[in-house]
Amino acid sequence: RAQAQTLKIAVLLPQSGYLAQAGQSCHRGALVAPQVLSDLGYKVELVHIDMESNPDVARTQTERAINEGAHCIVGAFDSAGTLAIAQVCEQRQVPLIVNIGAAPQLTEQGYKFLVRNFPTGGMLVKNGLHQIQALIDATKIAPKSAVFLHANDNFGLAQRKGMDALFPKSGLPFKLLESIPYDPKAQDLSVEVTKIRGLNPDLLLVVTRAADAIKLVRDTVRQKFQPMGIISPGAPGLYDEEFYKALGPLADYHIDALPWANPKSKVTQALEAAYTKAQPKFRFAVECFNVGFTFDALMIAGDAFKRAGTTNGPELMKALKDTNLADHVMIGGPIKFDEKGQNNDIPSASVQNRNQTPTVVLPAEVATMTPVLPMPPWQGRK
Amino acid sequence: MLNVENLSVHYGDAQALDGVSLAVDEGAIVAIVGANGAGKTSLIRTIAGMHRPTSGRIVFRGTDIAGLPSHRVCDLGIGQVAEGRQIFPSLTVSENLDMGAMLPHARPHRAQNRDRVLAMFPRLSERIGQAAGTLSGGEQQMLAIGRCLMGEPKLIMFDEPSLGLAPTIVHDVLKTICDLNAGGMTCVLVEQNVAVSLKIATRAYVLENGRVTLSGSGADLLADERVRQAYLGI
Amino acid sequence: MTAITLNIVVQGILTGLVYGLMALGLSVIFGVMRVVNFAHGEFTVVAMYAAFLLFDMLGVSPLVSLLPIAVAFFFLGYVLQRSLVEPFISRAEHEQFILLVGLATVVVNGLLLIFGPDAHPINLPYSFDSYTVGSLFIDKVRVFAALGAFAICIALFLFFRYTRTGTAIRACADNLTGAGVVGLNVKQLYAVTFGLGFACIGAAGTLMATIADASPGLAPAYTLLAFVIVIIGGLGSMAGALVGGVLIGISEALAGFYIQPSMKSMFSFALLIIVLVLRPQGLMGRRL
Amino acid sequence: MIDIWHRLPMRGKMLCLAALAAAIAAPLVADRYLLSVLILVFYFAYLGQAWNLLMGFAGQLSLGHALYLGLGAYTATALWTLFGIGPWIGVFIAIPVAAAAGMIVGWLGWRFAIEGVYFALLTIAFAEFTRIGFDHLQITGASAGLFLSVNSPGSDKWWNLGGGPLLYYYLALILAVAATLLVAWLRRSPLGYRWLAVREDPEAARAAGIDIFRAKMIAMLISASMTAVGGVFYGFYYRNLFPSQVFDIGRSIEIIMAPIIGGLGTVFGPLVGAILLTPLGESLTALMQHFGVNTPGAKSIFYGLTLMVIITLQPSGVWPWLARKLGLDRPRT
Amino acid sequence: MTALLSINGISKRFRGLAAVSRVSFDVSQGEIFAVIGPNGAGKTTLFNMIAGAIPPDEGTITFAGTRTDGLRSDQIARLGVGRTFQLVRPFPALTVEDNVIIGALMQTKTVRDAETIARDTLARLDLFDKRTQIASSLTLPDRKRLEVARALATGPKLLLLDEVMAGLRPTETDRIVATLRDLNRDGLTILLIEHVMRAVTALASRILVLHHGAAIAEGNPEQVLRDPAVVESYLGAESL
Ligand SMILES: Nc1ncnc2c1ncn2[C@@H]1O[C@H](COP(=O)(O)OP(=O)(O)OP(=O)(O)O)[C@@H](O)[C@H]1O
Ligand SMILES: Nc1ncnc2c1ncn2[C@@H]1O[C@H](COP(=O)(O)OP(=O)(O)OP(=O)(O)O)[C@@H](O)[C@H]1O
Ligand SMILES: [Mg+2]
Ligand SMILES: [Mg+2]
């Protein structure tokens, strides 16, 4: 049998259903990837599949994709969907590269055909707390207290667990007054904000879903509550286009400590150029988290294929495990996976919204601006 | 005035009327008698357009009204005082009367008709703002008749107007019907009270299991041995 | 009562009134036709998008577009009833259910297809303002929306109480056979009722758009919320919808504040279960 | 049992046997994808039978069956991950847990005369209530989810329900066939007759000496128990559980689609419905992919439209119509 | 003869309307007892109370030595009281045979036996040929017979029949009368409401006349039908 010249990758993303917003954002990254990858010498062919935010669909569609010749799967933004896919990949010995998915269990359940180039909830929090310390050092603020607000879903709770474990050991110079979970299906956050206002913390640490971040800031402004800053240890919401559209100047100065595209990387620049051309309606600066991780996942696949020289699952997987990819989009050292398939070196940057654009402010070597804290008061921002 | 020709009606698979024909002349009182479930109500509902016949014609003053929706039939001038009165219990008496006059042809004369009805049933004007569900049975029957008159019908079909009423009130109701008829109204009367309805009817039909088995003048039927045995218990 | 508790309660009442308005459309349609509109939340979101479009393209404030959207929704409801729902009026509940769930799926995914998954906000000059009363902060948009909800509810009440069409619709709800007997055009009145229910949905969605950002994902949550509210208040009762909304608003606010925000809807459902068991017709409903 | 078999017309017997043989032999020809679709078909057929028992036979509309599904799934998987108690034992604990929940819902509903839409909303309320409760239940991982270890090929272990698709395929097939037989048998049992009486006219059923509360409670008991078994299957098939997924109202709706579209209150309806609907969704996806359409949501629009068309054209479901076409319905004079 | 059913001063009001007031009577084992009276006199309400469909406001009902007031209708049915409904209520979507099997299942545990009972009963009521039809497609007289069949199949000691002859032709009436007589001869006690005097006189050994909820006469047919009060309020409707 003639050896395939290109690697066929099925990209499963929740393009409809309740995760559609993030899924479509990742999808845009996947759309521009083949061209950029081919310029970089990787030969991949993509099949785009909508998993409808539904694990049942994720599972059958993975089976179908593999039947129709997919050599490798990339997906699926959401942990439940990813796990459904992982079952199939494991059975069929087809590698799964997780683009985004923070549940620690993904790499703790013994999957042999799964690698993840994305931090676990705990890693995100750990890095996030480091970034907060760095922010305090850089801006010389002296917060005395903080409140942690998180969505009570699988992503939020993973972060919460990280927070509970790591905050006491972090040596941060403020007190964590309370951790407040909220129901992501609930319709407004005014009670939550009132409760926070009552606690009156200096910092507000949040883990939100996209639409909730808007509600949160809006109610905070309306209730005239003015913290020093709103900082997230790596959650979506604070840097989405809809966030900027909804809040305008009030969207500025919030900080997300999360892995980010490295503006100084050649690959990033190439991707940005291609993306800007292909998706004129979207800003790379805003989308680079989803786009970047999705792209990197595809590149990891392409790279492994190049080295393995075969589309055979186990061999491809072996090559994946040996990945050592220095040039990639997201900041951090070379991409490597441990024996569980986890990349442990995915540092976070501090990204602050400035002029309604997420801007890297820390670490200094990749920063394009310096952080501003405490954030300017809500009033007079217009 | 009204000619029913060979009318058949089904509820699902069940046949309720089987080729019924009858004629109602202008100014007459036509009685339809028959046992429970014989199909009397079905006949009335079908004429009134509340149920589609499977076959047959219903000609009212020259137009075939079979299959027309009930609001069209009412607007042509066929009024109905239905089985069980069918008033609107949570609406006031006044609102109930208004509902009778929603028909396009009757709308302009709402005020006059209302005065006429209230003059006819003074009891109703005493209770004009009361919820109709709180009226006594007899009053409800008056309201049902009054409401029907608000629609300026040329023909009224009464379905068991005396049902559940005390004998004295039954008397009142039947007298009202006779009075209306005396004033020129054509009436179709369905009554359990066979003896009385045959007595006041100009013409009568006996309905059995969805078929007309006997017809004739009221007096003829009253004298008919079969009728006496089956319906009068004599 | 501390200032914060008071503030929470006031917020709860305002939010509840808007929720109540949102549930009103469901209640009107059920009260008259006994049809449970399982696509309720979906159409609320459609109205939110309509408000967004008018604002985004023509700069019309939702408080102004309220009327045209409500009118447009009236016709939408009217047409839907005449074309789709009419044959299902006397059919079994589960058949209506499938029809409306199918419709809901089409609507939600249609929105996704047309507008994409992102939330679409309406930024009014006063979106972020609040009134300060003593130590209370009361959101301006919530006040407007609550007042709007109240006004619409009163308008609807007056319509049902004092107009002839309104009376005729009540008559249909009261005694359908009776309505046929006196020659009311029941089909038409049903369509009008469906239209009115939809006008409520349109108005509620428009007001909702000032508080929340339109996105397809909201729809199922709105449907569920509306159910909870009308069952508590009494399916078919207009005042009940507002009362139910306010009760839910307050109970969620208090539970969220004193117990735990993520558990607040649990209390709504608990309240629903208790009401169903003790008073199945709802707090303001007539006997079943 | 044998009695039912004899009642079937010859053609029906042949069809049944042929279908069963085909289902058993399917893995010989079907690829893994087809198999995974068939697993869903039988899984939904099974759950549809469970729901059909309560709604189609006893006439009680439940829109909250996700409650029993979730309780079954959570009980068995938690027993396995926390205490190492395998699913074959766990299922016998999952069943009473879900049945108890069903009893509570039924008792509250029917003792207080809650009927129809109101009962349906009560069931939704319970499912949602439980969902949020599980979002906070730390022992099962709360909203972060509950996970089972991976299923590697060659590690097929039927005793802990871990393995390849064949295991799940035959399990789902057995469940669906067993449920269908159970339902067919119950339909012809005194209990089945009582349920039908309750569904048709509760007052007249009483006059025939039927304790309608009891009849409904038994229906709920069986239906919830069967659904719980489906939940155990779900838990071990997907190997991860999140309250927001498994208790979701969307699950409850998914469960009831097949029996309604197939034919409520018929023995074969849920089976036919599942055979129609699951592949319908799949083939829509495949078709759109084939034509290179990548518009998220378009598939669901077609799916929704199809539901509307079917229910408008065949309100009592596809099976009664199909049975007539195939000449399989019992002759009536 | 012992009293199988004994009614003692029962009353029922509906929102102020006294549908039944202080009615007392006994039905002996093995007799046919008729209740007559004008429309709305309270006959059906009386039946509903005996069958347990509605609870009496006051008074006691004793059936075969057991107090039954306050029991649910299904409990009373299991004690041996079968009933029909004036507005017939067969199980509409089921076949005739299934309808009767449901009744028969009260006597027996197995469907097979119930089927045998059902077929016997159907044969007795001339419905055997129609046993595979769907109940809702029957004509009214057939549905009435089906009601009787279902009630009979429960194997009652006492059968309550609410206007089962209404709407039947004289020949059909005679057939049912004969059937009922047969059943009675086999030991069944029957309590019937009837407007068709021909049937009442043919069957009843005693008659109770209700008027406006109250019993105005009770006794054997000759006496009662000649009672002036009865003639005035019920029979002599020719007095307008
Ligand atoms: N909506 C319906 N669905 C099915 N069958 C019906 C319906 N309405 C009436 N029937 C049946 O049609 C037949 C005729 O009924 P109808 O009500 O016309 O009789 P009726 O002569 O008015 O009797 P009554 O004296 O009791 O009022 C009966 O067998 C009845 O059971
Ligand atoms: N559930 C109820 N609610 C209110 N009133 C009722 C109810 N049932 C019966 N009634 C009233 O009680 C009175 C007696 O009714 P019942 O049905 O017992 O009369 P009946 O003697 O059987 O008459 P018919 O010969 O017409 O069947 C009537 O006035 C009736 O309207
Ligand atoms: Mg009648
Ligand atoms: Mg009666």
Side-chain angles (χ1 to χ4, degrees), chain A residues 15 48 52 55-56 59-61 63-64 67 80 83 87 90-92 105 109-111 152 154 157 185, chain D residues 31-33 135 143-144 147-148 150-151 153 163-164 237-240 242 245 248 282 289 294 296 299:
Chain A
Q15 295 175 48
H48 302 281
E52 300 172 31
D56 296 0
R59 189 165 184 146
T60 53
Q61 289 305 314
E63 294 276 12
R64 195 167 69 88
N67 267 7
L83 282 161
Q87 302 293 332
E90 200 65 21
Q91 293 273 329
R92 307 196 64 172
Q105 287 83 355
Q109 302 297 109
Y111 291 99
N152 193 32
N154 63 56
L157 199 59
K185 288 194 178 175
Chain D
D31 58 28
R32 289 195 39 138
Y33 163 62
D135 265 342
S143 53
F147 302 87
L148 294 183
V150 61
N151 255 343
Y237 183 55
Y238 283 102
R239 307 192 81 72
N240 63 83
F242 299 94
Q245 295 268 355
D248 190 58
E282 289 297 324
Q289 199 125 54
N294 192 335
K299 173 208 149 180

Side-chain angles (χ1 to χ4, degrees), chain C residues 44-62:
Chain C
T44 309
V45 175
V46 171
M48 291 173 77
Y49 274 101
F52 167 78
L53 279 184
L54 286 178
F55 179 76
D56 198 50
M57 290 163 54
L58 306 173
V60 189
S61 152

